[in-house]
Amino acid sequence: MVRIVNLGRTGLYVVMRAGELATLGGRCYWPDAAQARDAARRENVPVCDGVLRTLS
C-alpha cells in the first residue's frame, strides 16, 4: 500500500511505501494526485485514502 504525499513548496506529488519514496512506472513524482493514483492503479498497488500535505 502506498500513500500519496503533496510536497507543499514544489507542488509535486510523490508516493511513499513503508516510509520510503516509491517508484511507479519508472517515475517518482507527478504534477497532481490523480496522476499518482492512476500510476498506482496501473501497477495494481493499493492507495491509502487521503493525501498527506507537507509545508516544506
Side-chain angles (χ1 to χ4, degrees):
M1 181 169 284
V2 296
R3 174 176 296 279
I4 298 173
V5 179
N6 173 241
L7 303 176
R9 288 188 188 229
T10 66
L12 295 174
Y13 291 80
V14 298
V15 292
M16 304 290 289
R17 180 183 294 154
E20 296 184 8
L21 184 64
T23 301
L24 298 173
R27 294 183 68 180
C28 59
Y29 63 89
W30 296 265
D32 61 56
Q35 289 183 30
R37 196 170 284 111
D38 289 343
R41 285 188 187 129
R42 282 193 297 276
E43 302 247 343
N44 295 318
V45 176
V47 178
C48 290
D49 291 338
V51 173
L52 178 64
R53 300 183 192 290
T54 66
L55 296 175
S56 54

